[in-house]
Each structure stands twice: as structure tokens, then as C-alpha cells.
Amino acid sequence: MPVLDMSDETAVARYNDFVRSSKFGQVTQDLGWAQVKNNWEPRYAYVENEAGEIVAAISMLLTNTPSGKKFAYASKGPVMDMTDLDLFDQLIAEAKVALADDNAYLLRIDPEIAFSEELDADLHARGYETRNRNVADEGMHATIQPRLNMVIDLTAKPDAKETLDLYPSKTKSKLKRPFRDGVTVRYANDQAALDAFFETYGDMADRHGISHRPKEYFERMQAAFPGDGIMRIYIAEREGELLSTGVGFKFGDKIWYMYAGSMDGNIYYAPYAVQTEMIQWAMDSNVSLYDMGGIGEASPEDGLFVFKRTFVKDDPREYIGEIDVVLDDATYDELVRK
């Protein structure tokens, strides 16, 4: 039965090798993500082809709800070609087996696949619920992961070797500015780099009056992904003064810029320098995509969109949103359909 036995070291290594080598892989589907989200319970399932090779996998994390039932979430999963809905059905059947003893009312999945009315209809026809445009009025946080993402397709300019090669002269001038002003950028994934990131991250959150994750969360992240092969912290400084940071992950066929921070005052456009260097990481790694993450709306009134639009000259990608596998209709009616 393709439900991952965590006591079988060979099976665990084989599963993680598939997740890390697949072009559909996501860092939140890696086994290490359960270490980051250590207050959730992990479950894993997969499908093999006739040759015994893994062709689809799903990493799920469970948490308790006030209803007494558990909520299962496969963040940015599954790891598979989502255009093959027959394979998806097979994987979900295995996922249900993995969750059979967990008293879960729902498995929620949010793959990074483009929204289309045809796909939405096909999913409904197969018995799945979806949450996408029907909850769009709630904005960026209507779904767990934003559905509108700013993503650079690096394959669009295959001859580009440096970040500046991607852009017209006006943008190039803007991106050169921090470097002309003496900003330097380096990367690492050690304690000193984490300390620098958290200083900027906490300072920025405090300025804007928003909550932020505790430092321990990022320490677990660093422990789960040591070295700089998957996780990097980029640090922008000027004359030894810390200005801005960014945290990114190289996984699957992309680099995902996940967290950032900046200090108050004149920071000499340091966040632009951080992005320039992180995009260069993606280009040097020969991945297809550089993902700057979500936005609320593609509007000049949205500051996040304006910043990301400097780098992503295309429209945001609209993903299918959340695909819900309902395991208990009564609880789902109470908590979701209400």
C-alpha cells in the first residue's frame, strides 16, 4: 500500500528523492516541512507506475479544529502533473487511506496550476469542492495561499545570463541604483544570517503594526534545510549597515522568494538589490521560474504589486485555488459551506 512508512528508512529516502527531483516539487511538500510546522502531524502517500517508480506524491499536515475533527492540508501539493486528473484521483484514494484513522473532515490542496473554468468544472465533476473565484471578494487572504502570484518565466529569455539582461533600459537603471550607492549583497544560511534577517523582518513588522512569526520558526526552517543548496538568506548592507534581507528556496523548477525584511529610514533601494541577486541565483541555477509570491490585486493602489511589477513584467498568474477533498460532509457544511 503506497502510504509512506516513516520507520522504513529506504522508503523515506526514496519518497524524498522523488519530491526533491521532480519538476513539480515544492519545498512545502518536502519531508523537512513537517519539521518547520512541528505542531502539525504529518502523513504521506504516493502512487507508483507499473515499473514500481513513484509518479505522484502528497505530503499532508494535520491540525485539530474546535469541531473535534482534524483538518489536513497539503500545501502547494501534490507533487505530480496536475493535468492528469486520473492520476490525481488515484493519489487522493491513497491519501484517504493515509488519513483513515485521523478523524479528519477535510483534506485541502492548493497546487500551482492555472485557473480555468474547464479545470474547475472537471474537478467538480469528479466530486471535489473548489475555492477560487467564488471567494475572491475576500481578497489576498481568502485562501491559505494567495491565488494571484507574480512569477518571472525565465525561459522567455533563454539567452539572458544576468538579471539586467531581462529588462529594458529604464528598469536596468533602477536596479543599478542601489549598487551605485554602495549597497552590497551577500548570502548565507547560518546563524548570523538568520539573526540579520530576523532583525529586519521584526523591525518591518513592528513599523507596520502587523504580527510576525517567532524566530524559532525560522530556526526550525534552517535546521530542516541546512546549507545553501535549498535555502538562502540574502543580506543587503551599505558601509557595514544592515539594510534589507530576503529568504528564498530553490526547489523543483523554481526559486521561491518567501520572506523579506527591511530597516527603517534611508535604505538606498536595498530591497531592489536583494531581488536582483536572488533572480541571478535562479538564472545561475537554470530553473524556469522565479516566484515572488502573492499579491492582493493587480492594481497601482497595491504597493506589493507595484514593487513586484518592477521585476515581473507579465500579469500575475491566477492559480486554481483550493481543492477540497471532503471527508465529513456535516462538518464541512458547518465550517466551510455555511
Side-chain angles (χ1 to χ4, degrees):
M1 181 64 67
V3 172
L4 185 61
D5 179 359
M6 294 301 290
S7 67
D8 184 335
E9 293 183 5
T10 301
V12 168
R14 179 170 169 258
Y15 181 94
N16 216 34
D17 285 346
F18 170 76
V19 172
R20 290 193 173 188
S21 62
S22 171
K23 69 177 182 178
F24 304 109
Q26 298 277 357
V27 70
T28 51
Q29 284 290 288
D30 189 85
L31 291 176
W33 202 249
Q35 183 177 337
V36 180
K37 310 287 282 188
N38 66 344
N39 56 336
W40 295 58
E41 301 174 69
R43 301 288 185 271
Y44 308 96
Y46 57 96
V47 172
E48 297 172 317
N49 62 16
E50 293 181 355
E53 301 166 326
I54 298 177
V55 292
I58 186 167
S59 301
M60 303 166 284
L61 296 174
L62 292 91
T63 189
N64 293 313
T65 70
S67 69
K69 295 275 188 173
K70 291 181 180 179
F71 168 76
Y73 178 43
S75 177
K76 294 185 179 287
V79 180
M80 60 165 287
D81 180 358
M82 276 297 296
T83 64
D84 187 346
L85 291 184
D86 289 339
L87 179 59
F88 180 59
D89 286 343
Q90 292 177 52
L91 182 61
I92 294 305
E94 300 300 340
K96 288 179 178 179
V97 174
L99 298 171
D101 298 328
D102 288 308
N103 197 29
Y105 80 93
L106 169 65
L107 166 59
R108 178 162 288 168
I109 302 163
D110 47 16
E112 289 186 342
I113 185 170
F115 173 87
S116 73
E117 292 183 355
E118 180 182 4
L119 174 59
D120 197 52
D122 285 347
L123 289 166
H124 280 273
R126 290 169 182 262
Y128 303 107
E129 299 276 346
T130 58
R131 302 181 73 250
N132 39 58
R133 290 181 177 179
N134 57 329
V135 293
D137 59 331
E138 297 180 32
M140 182 176 180
H141 302 292
T143 50
I144 298 173
Q145 302 290 342
R147 287 198 318 109
L148 297 179
N149 277 245
M150 300 297 286
V151 182
I152 302 173
D153 180 0
L154 296 170
T155 67
K157 292 194 174 182
D159 295 330
K161 302 299 181 186
E162 297 182 358
T163 301
L164 295 180
D165 296 338
L166 300 173
Y167 299 109
S169 58
K170 186 175 180 180
T171 304
K172 286 180 182 178
S173 180
K174 188 172 188 176
L175 299 186
K176 288 177 181 179
R177 178 174 176 175
F179 299 104
R180 288 197 302 265
D181 288 342
V183 174
T184 60
V185 180
R186 58 187 174 88
Y187 69 83
N189 189 25
D190 55 22
Q191 187 62 50
L194 184 63
D195 291 344
F197 160 70
F198 197 76
E199 183 179 350
T200 63
Y201 172 71
D203 187 85
M204 185 174 69
D206 291 344
R207 284 199 314 276
H208 294 288
I210 57 176
S211 61
H212 61 79
R213 295 190 182 278
K215 191 172 187 179
E216 291 76 17
Y217 181 86
F218 299 102
E219 289 173 340
R220 293 195 301 272
M221 189 178 287
Q222 192 175 63
F225 304 104
D228 60 21
I230 293 178
M231 175 179 171
R232 286 185 183 180
I233 302 171
Y234 279 74
I235 302 165
E237 300 161 308
R238 182 178 181 274
E239 297 179 354
E241 179 184 3
L242 176 63
L243 302 176
S244 180
T245 60
V247 178
F249 290 85
K250 176 181 175 291
F251 211 96
D253 198 27
K254 75 173 185 179
I255 283 173
W256 179 14
Y257 158 63
M258 190 183 293
Y259 289 99
S262 61
M263 304 303 290
D264 199 7
N266 184 2
I267 56 172
Y268 299 91
Y269 288 85
Y272 292 88
V274 169
Q275 289 305 311
T276 298
E277 293 302 318
M278 292 182 76
I279 294 168
Q280 189 64 51
W281 176 25
M283 297 178 76
D284 292 343
S285 300
N286 295 313
V287 295
S288 297
L289 306 172
Y290 180 74
D291 187 344
M292 295 191 73
I295 58 167
E297 59 178 334
S299 164
E301 304 300 317
D302 185 330
L304 200 56
F305 169 73
V306 172
F307 172 69
K308 293 179 180 182
R309 184 69 171 182
T310 301
F311 301 93
V312 184
K313 299 304 185 182
D314 294 326
D315 292 334
R317 296 190 176 196
E318 180 184 3
Y319 294 136
I320 190 63
E322 294 171 346
I323 303 170
D324 283 356
V325 181
V326 179
L327 305 173
D328 182 317
D329 270 295
T331 305
Y332 190 81
D333 282 343
E334 177 187 351
L335 298 180
V336 183
R337 291 193 185 110
K338 59 182 180 179

